Amino acid sequence: RVSSTLTEAAAAMTDNGMMSRAKVLTIDNMNPTVKKVEYAVRGPIVQRAVELERELSEGMKKPFAEVIKANIGDAHAMGQQPITFFRQVLALCSYPELLSDSTFPEDAKSRACRILQSCGGFSMGSYSASQGIDSVRQDVAQYIQRRDGGVPCDPDNIYLTTGASDGIVTMLKLLVCGEGTSRAGVMISIPQYPLYSAALAELGAVQINYYLNEEACWSLDIPELQRAVNEARRYCNPRALCIINPGNPTGQVQSRQCIEDVIRFAAKERLFLMADEVYQDNVYADGCQFHSFKKVLFEMGPEYSETVELASFHSTSKCYMGECGFRGGYMEIINMDDDVKAQLTKLVSVRLCPPVPGQALMDLVVNPPQPGEPSYNNFIKERTATLSALAEKAKLTEQVLNTVEGISCNPVQGAMYSFPRITIPEKAVQEEKGQAPDMFYCMKMLEETGICLVPGSGFGQKDGTYHFRMTILPPKDKLQILLNNVKEFHQRFTLQYS
Amino acid sequence: RVSSTLTEAAAAMTDNGMMSRAKVLTIDNMNPTVKKVEYAVRGPIVQRAVELERELSEGMKKPFAEVIKANIGDAHAMGQQPITFFRQVLALCSYPELLSDSTFPEDAKSRACRILQSCGGFSMGSYSASQGIDSVRQDVAQYIQRRDGGVPCDPDNIYLTTGASDGIVTMLKLLVCGEGTSRAGVMISIPQYPLYSAALAELGAVQINYYLNEEACWSLDIPELQRAVNEARRYCNPRALCIINPGNPTGQVQSRQCIEDVIRFAAKERLFLMADEVYQDNVYADGCQFHSFKKVLFEMGPEYSETVELASFHSTSKCYMGECGFRGGYMEIINMDDDVKAQLTKLVSVRLCPPVPGQALMDLVVNPPQPGEPSYNNFIKERTATLSALAEKAKLTEQVLNTVEGISCNPVQGAMYSFPRITIPEKAVQEEKGQAPDMFYCMKMLEETGICLVPGSGFGQKDGTYHFRMTILPPKDKLQILLNNVKEFHQRFTLQYS
């Protein structure tokens, strides 16, 4: 070890002949689990998109006038407007002198006062309790209770988080343990949202893949779960099952029956359930409805409701509000062992508290204007407009993509993405051995059209199939152009490599 | 393993005789590194303080009228007022309709516009780049350059963070590696801020203690660093040296000479330097001055400035602004290997981005109103008032505590805390074997006076010595009462156990 360090150091002569020290921290001696982390949603293709934007702004000629980032569920960046009431309250909380401004509606003021009264020194600049502001957790609990038709919710089981990602990583952290064949395994869907694979890689846990059934609208089939867990038990200790509903990147909405079956499976196989439900308001397809895991669990009676351990995650970043930048979110934990819960509370205290503006926003999401309050009508108008536009764009995306030969697309029942399957000619697959074929495809599309998508390989897919994820967030007229450009690109690409 | 699980399950009969499943996740099978985490600043004593507050509010009689939380550097909770300009800009960014409100000053509006123009869709609700908003990172770089007398700063080396804690944990994460005697070790001061020990425990790295010299005003002595690293090399691989300057919990401000010596030591011993400089504006003592590690490094010439790897951390939570709840911060990395830097950028992308309001606030801290701008005079007035009050309270705290027999207190040269040494009578030490003697002392003080302090054992201290950490943040009149109550309690406690 010492001699290799000396060799490195000796090799590191600078141009002016001065002896330079070798780096203390190098790619060879850094944390190996960090190196294994991958996060396609902000991967190389997005870095190239940022470069292209810079090149365009510097006047470089490109075959397109702007880069359209359809790679990430970033609603406001795509022009979606924030809910006025939410932003009024946030402004009042930021600068309470505005409480005497008569142009602000009374309900916004009273909401702001309630939030500030729960903050130390009446200021969002104070740390909150690590679990989150008490009154916000109470409002979250009431929201969940209303949402789930009266199933009780204890504010003590609510933890406010820095976006949903923070809560998911924290829960996974608790579950990790063991070495060798006792190493903790976590079941995730394929395709998945790459936060899961990234967190598992970083934590050194085993990723257990179960495949969603693309032929049946990305349904979750119990036999496939069973296959995955059986195989996994040979080499690790499966401890948790993660579900994303509505699905990301796949956009399916699970039926009540499916959720019940998943809960039975988790109980039988002794798995901790993690339900990523951040798209709970993003349901568009006729006949589809959001069912929370919590509600279904409680409808299954005490054999399940008093035993199955569940964590459910929500966020301010999606649905009709799309407030990603504020990093608000919560998790609800159910049937968690008391001692483990105490450890969870201790663990979150090390990071002091989630951002207070994000907590305030989460409070507004779970406790929006009520009928009879001055802001109610406008709130409903804004929320409805956003959700109807999304529903329309979900349908448009599916329709246009399915007109293209070589692209096939399941209905976007919910969430914010389409994840169509694409046929990539064998010649293109052969030609680009250095990278995944769909990365090659998406990179080429970016260079030629300015459209930034994420290749399916970043989410996982069955071997030999190729996809991309595209958000449905651009404004309708822009989305129409984008879809036509995708269509033309696909036809050109197919021709070129046939 | 299986049989023990069955036993557990069998034991778990509920009252109504129904067979209940044993928990999947228990204290015995959860992540063992999480169990090792301790965080005294929000530990059992603070939980008891919260209980006492609730009991008081429910009308229970106590020997005090209110709980005073002097356990945490939470300025606004102690009544410190936010900087008006900062909050005006945040309100404008939250609700841009206010840009047409003539009561807001023009410089606040132009700052808000600049921030919003850097946000996707002109909204703080958009994700930013994972490394942080470009224009904010540029402003941070210019701030550092001004602060350090022109030493160049590249915005590419700036990473915005969710408070300083986030940056520190992220850097430690990169450094962790190895097993057995090759396991990564990180040197931290004792006393330390317990984020460090908590993060090292969670990451499974080795904590290497070096002791500050209480007799010489908590100075950092090179021979002690040498002793610590020599001993540690027998059982681990020391990779990094963490310094907190100004000190937390100890309040000392390091001399330029000391910093230079530390840098030489790090270079000689091949250690990555981590400089926690979140109290850089909190310097009160005559003759003391803040010297950044970066500036000293660059003044030492290319042998050091081109080789020594350094990460420096700052935050919106301390100094004169005290905006803890917004979770803003940045880190600057210097001489980091390019491949490692690419890994760092990838790692932070998994969490998408730091909270945008916190980024906006960080921008205002590094780019406050300038001479000639409408808000300049008021900004200077507010900042000066806060910093002078803190300087006065630092002196008052030292003076009063040093009048008590059995308490001795170094000058609070900087930061926001006093860390006095207390004499605990042998009888009290003997009586309370179950807990650290200073925990027993602080818990008793809380029950009798309502004052919440953190025992020295939560930060680490030389064996056989006892301390507590107390913030200097309460308003002066309240601080005076608090100090007198501490004095009386100490005398009573000493008498009782003599």
Side-chain angles (χ1 to χ4, degrees):
Chain A
R1 218 198 114 61
V2 169
S3 73
S4 106
T5 302
L6 287 177
T7 319
E8 273 179 66
M13 287 286 213
T14 56
D15 288 347
N16 57 17
M18 195 178 68
M19 172 76 168
S20 131
R21 286 182 193 85
K23 297 285 182 198
V24 171
L25 183 60
T26 69
I27 194 81
D28 295 322
N29 68 20
M30 68 174 284
N31 188 340
T33 66
V34 169
K35 280 192 274 186
K36 290 189 197 132
V37 168
E38 283 180 30
Y39 190 66
V41 175
R42 294 216 154 177
I45 198 154
V46 185
Q47 285 163 29
R48 179 62 190 143
V50 171
E51 268 175 41
L52 285 172
E53 274 184 330
R54 188 164 37 222
E55 291 173 10
L56 274 176
S57 77
E58 287 163 359
M60 248 163 117
K61 282 275 167 292
K62 299 281 166 194
F64 47 85
E66 66 167 329
V67 172
I68 302 177
K69 289 194 195 141
N71 59 298
I72 188 166
D74 191 0
H76 292 198
M78 286 288 115
Q80 185 181 309
Q81 291 306 301
I83 297 287
T84 303
F85 178 78
F86 293 178
R87 294 308 196 90
Q88 286 173 331
V89 177
L90 287 169
L92 289 160
C93 288
S94 299
Y95 187 52
E97 282 75 356
L98 291 171
L99 287 166
S100 56
D101 182 330
S102 59
T103 62
F104 280 82
E106 284 308 314
D107 49 355
K109 289 183 187 175
S110 69
R111 235 26 141 264
C113 282
R114 181 155 186 274
I115 291 167
L116 289 173
Q117 272 153 8
S118 307
C119 294
F122 208 69
S123 167
M124 284 211 295
S126 299
Y127 290 120
S128 76
S130 298
Q131 201 174 339
I133 297 172
D134 276 357
S135 67
V136 178
R137 292 191 293 117
Q138 284 155 16
D139 288 349
V140 168
Q142 280 173 25
Y143 159 81
I144 292 174
Q145 219 161 301
R146 276 196 314 275
R147 182 198 68 188
D148 291 343
V151 172
C153 180
D154 183 347
D156 253 12
N157 289 337
I158 306 297
Y159 287 73
L160 298 180
T161 58
T162 307
S165 302
D166 172 45
I168 291 166
V169 173
T170 301
M171 264 313 306
L172 290 174
K173 218 177 252 180
L174 294 181
L175 284 154
V176 170
C177 67
E179 289 298 327
T181 54
S182 312
R183 200 142 66 102
V186 176
M187 302 182 72
I188 63 172
S189 62
I190 297 294
Q192 56 126 6
Y193 173 56
L195 168 70
Y196 290 91
S197 50
L200 294 175
E202 196 189 317
L203 293 167
V206 179
Q207 171 178 330
I208 305 170
N209 295 337
Y210 65 87
Y211 290 84
L212 300 176
N213 186 351
E214 180 163 16
E215 283 64 39
C217 198
W218 296 115
S219 72
L220 199 175
D221 302 338
I222 303 298
E224 167 59 9
L225 286 179
Q226 192 68 61
R227 176 206 62 78
V229 81
N230 289 351
E231 284 180 19
R233 285 200 198 283
R234 295 207 294 259
Y235 57 87
C236 73
N237 172 20
R239 304 200 73 193
L241 169 56
C242 301
I243 313 281
I244 312 174
N245 177 50
N248 175 8
T250 39
Q252 84 284 17
V253 176
Q254 279 165 3
S255 68
R256 199 197 162 289
Q257 185 58 50
C258 172
I259 292 171
E260 189 171 325
D261 293 344
V262 168
I263 292 172
R264 274 183 222 286
F265 173 82
K268 177 170 81 76
E269 297 292 337
R270 297 186 46 70
L271 298 167
F272 194 108
L273 267 175
M274 292 177 56
D276 180 339
E277 299 178 321
V278 300
Y279 298 100
Q280 54 190 265
D281 290 332
N282 296 109
V283 176
Y284 318 116
D286 291 340
C288 283
Q289 197 191 329
F290 171 72
H291 302 274
S292 79
F293 267 77
K294 164 116 183 258
K295 179 163 192 253
V296 176
L297 178 66
F298 275 72
E299 288 168 356
M300 289 166 70
E303 189 192 343
Y304 292 91
S305 68
E306 293 179 5
T307 63
V308 174
E309 293 149 80
L310 168 68
S312 158
F313 306 91
H314 196 16
S315 158
T316 58
S317 304
K318 311 297 167 186
C319 300
Y320 61 89
M321 51 282 182
E323 295 275 15
C324 313
F326 282 81
R327 313 308 297 121
Y330 74 74
M331 61 177 172
E332 180 185 17
I333 50 161
I334 293 156
N335 291 321
M336 183 179 271
D337 178 85
D338 286 341
D339 292 336
V340 176
K341 186 159 178 273
Q343 293 288 326
L344 169 61
T345 304
K346 178 192 73 178
L347 183 62
V348 299
S349 78
V350 179
R351 293 295 190 90
L352 297 162
C353 69
V356 173
Q359 295 188 48
L361 193 51
M362 193 76 248
D363 189 57
L364 300 169
V365 169
V366 296
N367 184 20
Q370 299 303 309
E373 291 186 330
S375 303
Y376 180 73
N377 289 342
N378 192 48
F379 166 72
I380 294 294
K381 202 181 94 196
E382 291 177 349
R383 185 180 68 174
T384 309
T386 299
L387 289 176
S388 338
L390 285 170
E392 215 182 327
K393 293 188 281 189
K395 198 162 267 179
L396 176 72
T397 303
E398 178 200 346
Q399 282 169 350
V400 176
L401 290 177
N402 277 329
T403 64
V404 189
E405 209 186 307
I407 298 188
S408 75
C409 178
N410 272 318
V412 183
Q413 298 174 330
M416 300 177 162
Y417 317 98
S418 170
F419 194 70
R421 183 160 170 178
I422 48 175
T423 305
I424 298 190
E426 196 48 34
K427 210 171 131 192
V429 173
Q430 291 305 319
E431 194 159 308
E432 289 305 317
K433 291 229 153 115
Q435 58 188 330
D438 48 14
M439 172 62 95
F440 172 64
Y441 175 97
C442 288
M443 206 53 115
K444 215 168 150 60
M445 188 185 320
L446 174 63
E447 298 288 347
E448 292 183 15
T449 66
I451 298 169
C452 181
L453 307 177
V454 191
S457 45
F459 303 89
Q461 55 200 350
K462 278 207 171 132
D463 279 347
T465 70
Y466 306 111
H467 301 79
F468 59 73
R469 187 183 84 164
M470 186 190 121
T471 74
I472 59 167
L473 293 172
K476 199 181 165 190
D477 49 344
K478 211 174 201 169
L479 182 64
Q480 184 79 62
I481 297 169
L482 185 152
L483 289 165
N484 286 338
N485 288 346
V486 169
K487 183 177 186 162
E488 283 170 26
F489 168 80
H490 186 85
Q491 291 164 340
R492 208 160 55 235
F493 182 90
T494 305
L495 207 62
Q496 189 181 346
Y497 289 98
S498 292
Chain B
R1 218 199 113 63
V2 169
S3 73
S4 107
T5 302
L6 287 178
T7 320
E8 273 177 66
M13 287 288 213
T14 57
D15 288 347
N16 57 16
M18 194 179 70
M19 172 74 169
S20 133
R21 286 181 193 85
K23 298 284 182 197
V24 171
L25 183 60
T26 69
I27 194 81
D28 295 322
N29 68 20
M30 67 174 284
N31 187 342
T33 66
V34 169
K35 281 193 274 187
K36 290 190 198 133
V37 168
E38 283 179 30
Y39 190 66
V41 175
R42 294 217 153 174
I45 198 153
V46 185
Q47 285 163 29
R48 180 63 190 142
V50 171
E51 268 175 42
L52 284 172
E53 273 183 330
R54 187 162 39 219
E55 290 173 12
L56 273 178
S57 77
E58 287 163 0
M60 248 162 118
K61 282 276 166 293
K62 299 283 166 194
F64 46 86
E66 65 167 330
V67 173
I68 303 177
K69 289 195 195 138
N71 59 299
I72 189 167
D74 191 1
H76 292 198
M78 287 287 115
Q80 185 181 307
Q81 291 307 301
I83 298 288
T84 303
F85 178 79
F86 293 178
R87 294 308 196 90
Q88 287 173 329
V89 177
L90 286 169
L92 290 160
C93 288
S94 299
Y95 188 52
E97 281 75 356
L98 291 171
L99 287 167
S100 57
D101 182 329
S102 60
T103 62
F104 280 82
E106 285 308 314
D107 48 355
K109 289 183 187 174
S110 69
R111 244 9 153 271
C113 283
R114 181 155 186 273
I115 291 167
L116 289 173
Q117 271 153 10
S118 308
C119 293
F122 208 68
S123 168
M124 284 210 296
S126 299
Y127 291 120
S128 76
S130 298
Q131 200 174 342
I133 297 172
D134 277 356
S135 68
V136 178
R137 292 191 293 118
Q138 284 156 15
D139 288 350
V140 168
Q142 279 173 25
Y143 160 80
I144 292 174
Q145 219 161 301
R146 276 197 313 275
R147 182 198 69 188
D148 291 342
V151 173
C153 180
D154 183 348
D156 253 13
N157 289 337
I158 305 297
Y159 287 74
L160 298 180
T161 59
T162 308
S165 302
D166 172 44
I168 291 166
V169 172
T170 301
M171 263 313 305
L172 289 173
K173 218 175 252 180
L174 293 182
L175 283 154
V176 169
C177 66
E179 289 298 327
T181 55
S182 312
R183 199 141 67 101
V186 176
M187 302 182 72
I188 63 171
S189 62
I190 298 294
Q192 56 124 5
Y193 174 56
L195 167 71
Y196 290 91
S197 51
L200 294 175
E202 196 189 316
L203 293 167
V206 179
Q207 172 179 330
I208 305 170
N209 295 337
Y210 65 87
Y211 289 84
L212 300 175
N213 185 351
E214 180 163 18
E215 282 64 39
C217 199
W218 297 114
S219 71
L220 199 176
D221 302 338
I222 303 299
E224 168 58 10
L225 287 179
Q226 192 68 60
R227 176 205 63 75
V229 81
N230 289 351
E231 284 180 20
R233 287 203 196 280
R234 296 207 293 260
Y235 58 86
C236 74
N237 171 21
R239 305 201 73 192
L241 168 56
C242 302
I243 312 281
I244 312 174
N245 177 50
N248 175 8
T250 39
Q252 84 285 14
V253 176
Q254 278 165 4
S255 67
R256 198 197 162 289
Q257 184 59 49
C258 171
I259 292 171
E260 189 170 326
D261 293 344
V262 168
I263 292 172
R264 274 184 223 285
F265 174 82
K268 178 170 81 76
E269 298 292 338
R270 297 186 45 71
L271 297 167
F272 194 108
L273 267 174
M274 292 177 57
D276 180 339
E277 298 178 320
V278 300
Y279 299 99
Q280 55 190 263
D281 291 332
N282 296 109
V283 176
Y284 317 116
D286 292 340
C288 283
Q289 198 191 328
F290 171 72
H291 302 274
S292 79
F293 267 76
K294 162 114 184 260
K295 178 163 192 251
V296 176
L297 179 66
F298 275 71
E299 288 168 355
M300 289 167 70
E303 189 192 342
Y304 292 92
S305 68
E306 293 178 5
T307 63
V308 174
E309 292 149 80
L310 168 68
S312 158
F313 306 91
H314 197 16
S315 158
T316 58
S317 305
K318 311 297 167 185
C319 299
Y320 61 89
M321 51 281 183
E323 295 275 16
C324 313
F326 282 82
R327 315 306 298 122
Y330 74 74
M331 62 177 171
E332 180 185 16
I333 50 160
I334 293 156
N335 291 322
M336 183 179 269
D337 178 86
D338 286 341
D339 292 337
V340 176
K341 186 159 178 271
Q343 293 288 325
L344 169 60
T345 304
K346 177 192 73 178
L347 183 62
V348 299
S349 78
V350 178
R351 293 295 190 91
L352 297 162
C353 69
V356 173
Q359 295 188 48
L361 193 51
M362 193 77 247
D363 189 57
L364 300 169
V365 169
V366 297
N367 184 20
Q370 299 303 309
E373 290 186 331
S375 303
Y376 179 73
N377 288 342
N378 192 48
F379 166 71
I380 294 293
K381 202 181 95 197
E382 291 177 348
R383 184 180 69 175
T384 309
T386 299
L387 289 175
S388 335
L390 284 170
E392 215 183 325
K393 294 188 280 189
K395 198 163 266 180
L396 176 72
T397 304
E398 179 200 346
Q399 281 169 352
V400 176
L401 290 177
N402 277 329
T403 64
V404 189
E405 211 186 304
I407 297 188
S408 75
C409 177
N410 273 317
V412 183
Q413 296 175 330
M416 299 178 161
Y417 316 99
S418 170
F419 195 69
R421 183 159 169 177
I422 49 176
T423 305
I424 297 190
E426 196 48 34
K427 212 172 128 191
V429 173
Q430 291 305 319
E431 194 159 307
E432 289 306 319
K433 291 228 151 117
Q435 58 188 332
D438 48 14
M439 172 62 95
F440 173 63
Y441 174 98
C442 288
M443 206 55 115
K444 216 168 149 59
M445 189 185 319
L446 174 63
E447 297 288 347
E448 292 183 15
T449 66
I451 298 168
C452 181
L453 307 177
V454 190
S457 45
F459 304 90
Q461 55 201 351
K462 278 207 171 131
D463 279 348
T465 70
Y466 307 111
H467 301 78
F468 59 72
R469 187 184 83 164
M470 187 190 122
T471 74
I472 59 166
L473 293 172
K476 198 181 166 191
D477 50 344
K478 212 174 201 169
L479 182 65
Q480 184 79 61
I481 298 170
L482 185 151
L483 288 165
N484 286 337
N485 288 346
V486 169
K487 182 176 185 162
E488 283 170 26
F489 168 80
H490 186 84
Q491 290 164 342
R492 207 160 57 236
F493 182 89
T494 306
L495 207 61
Q496 190 181 346
Y497 290 96
S498 291

